[in-house]
Amino acid sequence: MPGPENTLTHPALMTREARTPLLKRQHLLAIDDISPLEAISLLDLAERYVEVSRQTDKRQPVLQGRTQVNLFFEASTRTQSSFEIAGKRLGADVMNMAVATSSVSKGETLLDTAMTINAMQPDFLVVRHQSSGAAELLAQKVSCAVINAGDGQHEHPTQALLDALTIRRHKKGFEGLTVAICGDVLHSRVARSNIHLLNKLGARVRVVAPSTLLPSGIANFGVEVHRSMETGLRGADVVMMLRLQLERMTGAFVPSIREYYRFYSLNADTLKLAKPDAMVMHPGPMNRGIEIDSDVADGVQSVIREQVEMGVAVRMAVLDALSRNLPRGGYA
Amino acid sequence: MINPAKQNTRRRAYVNAEIVAPAQGLSGRGGILIEDGWILDVGPKVTRESVGAATVTDCRGLTLIPGLIDMRVFTGEPGMEYRETLASASEAAAAGGVTTMIVMPNTQPVIDDAAIVDFILRRARDTASVRVAPMAAITKGLGGELMTEIGLLKEAGAVAITEGTRAVANANVFRRALTYAKDFDQLVVQHVEEPTLSSGVMNAGEAASRLGLSGNPAMAEVIMLERDLRLVEMTGARYHASQVSSRLSVEVMRAAKARGLPVTCGVSIHHLVLNENDIGAYRSFFKLSPPLRAEDDRRTLVEAVADGTIDVIVSGHDPHSADTKRLPFAEAAYGAIGLETMLSAALGLHHNDGVPIARLVEAMSSKPAEILRLETGRLAPGAPADFAVVDRHLSWTVEKDGLRSRAKNSPFERRTLEGRAVETVVAGETVFAYA
C-alpha cells in the first residue's frame, strides 16, 4: 500500500486508485501474459504520463530511491533512451550497462551477468537480448521486476503498448478497426506483440508480406494473411510498416531492394488503398525509400514521431505499475 | 505475350486437312481460316466453299496441328552466338513445326534480371521467325544461393523460373524460392538431378562399366524429385520437373499426381527414342543430362507419355560445336540439338510404339501452353494463328548440312525418320515450307 514517500504532484495522479496494483505479475515479459483489462489500465495510466511529459517540470517521484538497470545486449538507440528518460522522470536511479565493453564480451554467461547485477539490488531490470526467451530466463533467476525490451523474435511488449496508445488517441477505440501490419513479420517481435495486443483490444489485424517473411502458422494468431499490398491495405484504418533488415533483402528472404520496393513498400500510391484517414506507423528506425517512402513517412497521415513520444509515457506507466508490486523492504 | 517476328494480315485458309487439336476436341477433316495473325474459325465447317475471298491452301489430307511449344531450348544468345542465335534456332524450330521456343536462362549473362528478359524478347521480335519466351533463373547468376527478382522477372515476361542445366541443391534456398514464387503464381522448373550423386557421364550400369565411363544413377534423379515434391507439398508452389529419364521417376510422379500435388513433368524426345546402348563407340552427341537410360526405362517413359503421367515432350535443344563436343566422351559437353527433329522423332513413337498421335500433339502444344499459361498451342477462334501442316509419312534423312541449326550435334545424324512438318505458320505468316 502507498507510503508517505510517494508524493504525487500532478493532479491527474493524485487519486486514490493511483497507487493500487494494476498488474497481476511481477514482470512485464510478454503481451501474451497480460489481460485486456490490464492493457487498458496501462494505457489509461500512460495517458496521464503524456500530460506529465508535456509539462515544464516532468518529474514524478514515484520511483524515488528505486534503481533501474538497462541491460541491452543488442544495440538500440530509441528504446534504451526512452526507458532511461522514463525512469529518470519517475525519479529512479538509472544505470545503462554497456554490454559491449562489459564482462559479457569476456565470455560471461547471461545468467552470471544477471546474478551479478541482481546482487546489487536493483528494482528494475530492463532487458533487450537477441535470443527469444532471454527475458523469461532472467525473470526466473532475479528478484527484481524484469521488463522485456525486446527478446529475439518473440515479443516487444512496450512497443505494442505505445502503438496501441497512439492508435487509441487518434481512433478513440479499437472495436472495428482494421490494422494492417506490413513487412518482415517473420523476424519481428514488434509484429508478434502488436498482433497479440490489438487482438485483445478488439481490432481486426491483418499481416501483409511475401510468404517468405511470414512465420508458419501465422493464420492461427488470429490474423488475416495477405500476400499483396493491394488486398492487404484495402480499407485499413491503420497501416503499420515494419523495418526490413538490409541483410534479409538481397536474395535470402526477398530478392532485392528494388523488388521489395515495387511490391511491398508503402508509398503515396499504395497508401491510397487504405482509408483516407488511415494512420501510418513505423516502429523505427526506418529504411526510407525501401519499406516506406519519405513523403508518406513525413506526410499528414504519419504518426511516427508521436509514437516515440508515446513510448516514454507508456514506459513510465509500465515502471509505475510494476513498482506497485515491488516489496517495500529489501530483497531476499 | 510473346512477340511474333512477323505478322501476315491477309485472310487465308487451309482446307481439306486432317485436324488434330486434342485440347479443342478436334480430330478429322476440316480447315482453318485466319486473318491478321489470328484464327477466325477452325473445324469441319471451314471448306474451300465457306471461306469466300480468302487465299486457300488445299492440304490434300495432310495433318494440321497446333504449332508446337518446346519448353526446353538453349541458344547461345546472348554470349555464345557462335553456337546458336535466337534467329538460327528459330529457323530450326520452324522447320520442325515448333512455333514457340521457351529459352533457358543459361546464357552469358544469365537471364536473372528483368533487363535481360527484355533483351531476349526484343531480339526475338527483331530477328526470330517463331515466338520466343524466356525462363529466368531461380538464383542470381545460377549460383544456387540468392533468389532472383521473381516478381519483376515475371512482369518483364519470364514465363517460369529454372536453373536450366542444374538443380537448386540447397533445400532451404529452394524452399524459399518456391514459397516466394507461389505469391507471384510463378511456375518453378527444376532440373532434377542431385548434384552430389550425378558426377557420372552416362547412365550407371553395365554399359557404363564396359565402356569404362563413370555412371550417373537414376537414384540421383529420384532423390531430387522426391525432395522437391516434399517441398512442393509444404509450400503449394507450381512445380515442373523439366526432364524425367527413369522408370523410378515415373512412379514417383504418378504417385505425386494421385496425391493432388500441383506438379507436372517433361521428358526429352531423346530419352523416348534412344537408350544408353546408342552411345556405341563413345559418340558424344549421345551424351545428355540426364543421361540416356536403359531400354526398360525408355519403354516406361513412352508408356508414361501415352497415359499422361509425363505431361510434355521437349527437344532439350542444346547446340554445341566441335570445341565442346569433339572430345573424349568424358570431357565432352552434355547436350544435343533437337528442335528440327522433335516432331519427326515423336511421330516415330506413333508409328513404332503406338502412342496416339493426339496425345503426342497435346504433349508438345496444348499441355505446355497450359503449364506456362500461354495463349498459343491451341486451334480455336481468337487464338494466335500458329500451326503446322504435317505429312505423317514423308520419309527424310537427317543430314548434317541440311540442318538449320548453327550447331550440328544431332544424335539423329544420317538416320531416316518418318514424318515431318511441311509448312509452319506463325502469327499467320508462313515461316517454313518444305521444298
Side-chain angles (χ1 to χ4, degrees):
Chain A
M1 281 299 102
E5 75 277 16
N6 292 309
T7 324
L8 298 175
T9 51
H10 190 273
L13 296 168
M14 288 172 68
T15 53
R16 233 182 107 63
E17 45 90 40
R19 293 307 296 166
T20 56
L22 271 181
L23 297 172
K24 283 197 284 292
R25 292 172 185 251
Q26 180 189 352
H27 313 288
L28 179 65
L29 302 176
I31 292 294
D32 220 14
D33 297 340
I34 66 174
S35 69
L37 202 62
E38 287 176 309
I40 288 168
S41 307
L42 281 173
L43 297 183
D44 291 343
L45 183 56
E47 200 75 66
R48 299 177 195 174
Y49 281 119
V50 174
E51 290 176 45
V52 171
S53 294
R54 288 178 178 176
Q55 295 174 161
T56 312
D57 184 355
K58 301 172 177 62
R59 284 172 302 173
Q60 291 295 315
V62 296
L63 299 185
Q64 201 86 61
R66 299 289 191 186
T67 304
Q68 172 191 340
V69 176
N70 293 340
L71 188 57
F72 278 60
F73 292 88
E74 260 186 3
S76 156
T77 310
R78 78 180 63 204
T79 307
Q80 185 172 341
S81 50
S82 181
F83 268 108
E84 184 174 351
I85 289 172
K88 284 181 169 163
R89 284 191 184 156
L90 295 178
D93 296 313
V94 183
M95 186 194 73
N96 290 314
M97 277 281 291
V99 173
T101 57
S102 77
S103 48
V104 174
S105 60
K106 298 175 190 161
E108 190 175 62
T109 67
L110 172 63
L111 279 184
D112 285 340
T113 305
M115 295 314 289
T116 306
I117 294 167
N118 194 49
M120 300 175 195
Q121 304 274 9
D123 300 282
F124 299 98
L125 201 49
V126 180
V127 184
R128 165 164 295 187
H129 198 277
Q130 62 277 10
S131 296
S132 304
E136 175 75 45
L137 182 65
L138 282 183
Q140 291 165 8
K141 295 291 173 188
V142 301
S143 37
C144 62
V146 175
I147 300 171
N148 181 5
D151 62 328
Q153 298 168 12
H154 174 227
E155 281 232 34
H156 191 355
T158 56
Q159 178 71 41
L161 288 164
L162 77 87
D163 287 337
L165 181 62
T166 312
I167 292 170
R168 194 175 73 169
R169 286 168 65 89
H170 285 264
K171 301 290 182 189
K172 306 303 168 211
F174 299 94
E175 261 340 296
L177 278 191
T178 299
V179 182
I181 303 178
C182 313
D184 187 359
V185 179
L186 177 63
H187 299 101
S188 177
R189 52 193 172 219
V190 174
R192 283 173 180 73
S193 288
N194 265 307
I195 289 167
H196 293 316
L197 184 57
L198 291 166
N199 270 333
K200 279 181 208 285
L201 296 174
R204 289 176 51 196
V205 184
R206 295 176 185 167
V207 292
V208 188
S211 298
T212 43
L213 293 178
L214 289 171
S216 64
I218 186 72
N220 298 335
F221 280 50
V223 297
E224 273 177 49
V225 181
H226 292 265
R227 270 99 183 174
S228 80
M229 297 291 267
E230 283 67 34
T231 63
L233 294 197
R234 190 154 295 139
D237 297 283
V238 179
V239 181
M240 195 180 282
M241 300 306 294
L242 299 172
R243 174 180 170 76
L244 184 58
Q245 302 284 341
L246 279 159
E247 64 270 19
R248 291 179 183 138
M249 52 184 142
T250 51
F253 291 90
V254 292
S256 68
I257 289 171
R258 69 173 175 177
E259 172 139 332
Y260 193 80
Y261 180 81
R262 165 69 184 79
F263 295 106
Y264 295 102
S265 75
L266 186 68
N267 52 47
D269 290 331
T270 45
L271 183 55
K272 285 196 191 104
L273 297 161
K275 284 191 183 157
D277 62 344
M279 301 165 63
V280 172
M281 306 179 74
H282 193 298
M286 288 182 277
N287 294 308
R288 288 173 183 265
I290 298 174
E291 75 256 0
I292 189 164
D293 260 6
S294 280
D295 54 350
V296 173
D298 306 327
V300 288
Q301 287 167 261
S302 169
V303 294
I304 294 169
R305 270 182 293 276
E306 190 178 333
Q307 284 175 272
V308 179
E309 183 191 354
M310 294 308 121
V312 175
V314 154
R315 284 160 187 135
M316 289 169 82
V318 167
L319 288 165
D320 178 354
L322 288 176
S323 76
R324 301 178 196 188
N325 298 352
L326 288 174
R328 302 237 58 87
Y331 299 99
Chain B
M1 186 51 201
I2 309 153
N3 295 315
K6 285 179 238 161
Q7 287 195 6
N8 192 323
T9 56
R10 281 176 299 131
R11 179 179 281 236
R12 300 202 294 155
Y14 287 71
V15 298
N16 200 21
E18 198 66 26
I19 296 182
V20 179
Q24 284 69 51
L26 289 174
S27 100
R29 204 47 69 99
I32 187 166
L33 178 64
I34 61 174
E35 190 177 45
D36 279 336
W38 301 91
I39 297 173
L40 292 182
D41 201 3
V42 60
K45 308 184 301 297
V46 181
T47 61
R48 183 183 288 278
E49 291 71 34
S50 78
V51 299
T55 311
V56 175
T57 304
D58 187 343
C59 296
R60 295 200 192 94
L62 293 178
T63 304
L64 193 146
I65 61 173
L68 305 184
I69 299 170
D70 188 344
M71 275 183 76
R72 187 174 174 85
V73 174
F74 297 87
T75 78
E77 189 165 357
M80 284 164 292
E81 286 82 355
Y82 70 97
R83 282 190 194 160
E84 189 89 288
T85 60
L86 291 167
S88 65
S90 77
E91 294 304 313
V98 174
T99 56
T100 303
M101 301 190 294
I102 308 300
V103 296
M104 297 293 107
N106 311 66
T107 49
Q108 293 172 2
V110 171
I111 306 177
D112 62 358
D113 189 288
I116 303 174
V117 171
D118 194 56
F119 168 81
I120 296 282
L121 293 174
R122 285 165 189 274
R123 274 301 278 178
R125 180 196 63 194
D126 296 344
T127 67
S129 54
V130 303
R131 295 178 202 266
V132 175
M135 288 191 193
I138 300 172
T139 64
K140 288 169 185 159
L142 302 171
E145 292 297 332
L146 301 171
M147 74 171 106
T148 53
E149 295 168 321
I150 293 166
L152 294 172
L153 287 162
K154 187 175 185 191
E155 280 192 333
V159 292
I161 51 171
T162 184
E163 302 282 86
T165 55
R166 60 184 94 168
V168 178
N170 184 319
N172 196 32
V173 170
F174 197 57
R175 182 191 79 164
R176 290 224 186 95
L178 286 169
T179 305
Y180 193 81
K182 168 92 164 55
D183 288 353
F184 290 89
D185 197 20
Q186 180 63 295
L187 177 72
V188 180
V189 178
Q190 176 86 304
H191 177 73
V192 278
E193 230 176 14
E194 164 55 44
T196 55
L197 285 173
S198 47
S199 55
V201 297
M202 69 173 288
N203 186 38
E206 187 190 332
S209 300
R210 287 189 187 280
L211 289 168
L213 293 171
S214 56
N216 187 342
M219 207 53 77
E221 179 173 299
V222 179
I223 285 172
M224 185 55 80
L225 186 59
E226 290 194 313
R227 181 204 79 169
D228 285 358
L229 293 171
R230 292 291 167 193
L231 294 173
V232 167
E233 199 162 6
M234 182 177 164
T235 58
R238 291 196 296 132
Y239 172 89
H240 178 80
S242 185
Q243 307 175 85
V244 293
S245 67
S246 73
R247 184 176 54 76
L248 289 170
S249 301
V250 169
E251 286 168 16
V252 169
M253 279 306 299
R254 190 171 283 138
K257 288 181 165 187
R259 293 217 306 279
L261 293 182
V263 294
T264 51
C265 68
V267 64
S268 98
I269 188 64
H270 300 122
H271 291 87
L272 291 171
V273 298
L274 305 169
N275 68 28
E276 59 185 348
N277 297 319
D278 286 299
I279 290 169
Y282 303 96
R283 292 192 290 169
S284 67
F285 290 0
F286 294 81
K287 183 179 178 182
L288 303 175
S289 171
L292 294 169
R293 305 277 182 199
E295 175 61 12
D296 168 47
D297 291 302
R298 186 197 73 83
R299 277 204 305 270
T300 308
L301 295 173
V302 172
E303 285 161 21
V305 166
D307 72 20
T309 303
I310 293 179
D311 300 88
V312 305
I313 299 172
V314 299
S315 74
H317 183 87
D318 193 358
H320 284 279
S321 46
D323 64 320
T324 47
K325 273 296 190 186
R326 199 167 297 155
L327 293 168
F329 193 88
E331 295 163 33
Y334 295 93
I337 59 168
L339 275 167
E340 204 166 340
T341 47
M342 173 169 72
L343 174 61
S344 299
L347 288 169
L349 296 173
H350 172 64
H351 299 316
N352 307 325
D353 300 87
V355 181
I357 198 152
R359 175 65 195 109
L360 292 167
V361 169
E362 180 190 58
M364 294 183 287
S365 61
S366 54
K367 202 70 195 181
E370 180 191 319
I371 293 168
L372 296 166
R373 302 193 173 157
L374 305 177
E375 51 178 317
T376 56
R378 62 205 172 98
L379 295 183
D386 292 9
F387 56 91
V389 180
V390 175
D391 184 336
R392 296 190 206 183
H393 299 291
L394 180 71
S395 149
W396 65 292
T397 302
V398 181
E399 296 289 357
K400 193 171 120 181
D401 295 337
L403 289 170
R404 284 151 184 86
S405 176
R406 195 167 279 187
K408 308 298 179 189
N409 53 316
S410 170
F412 296 115
E413 192 182 346
R414 287 195 289 280
R415 274 204 198 203
T416 299
L417 302 173
E418 184 182 351
R420 64 163 301 134
V422 293
E423 183 170 346
T424 305
V425 175
V426 176
E429 170 83 6
T430 297
V431 294
F432 169 77
Y434 189 63

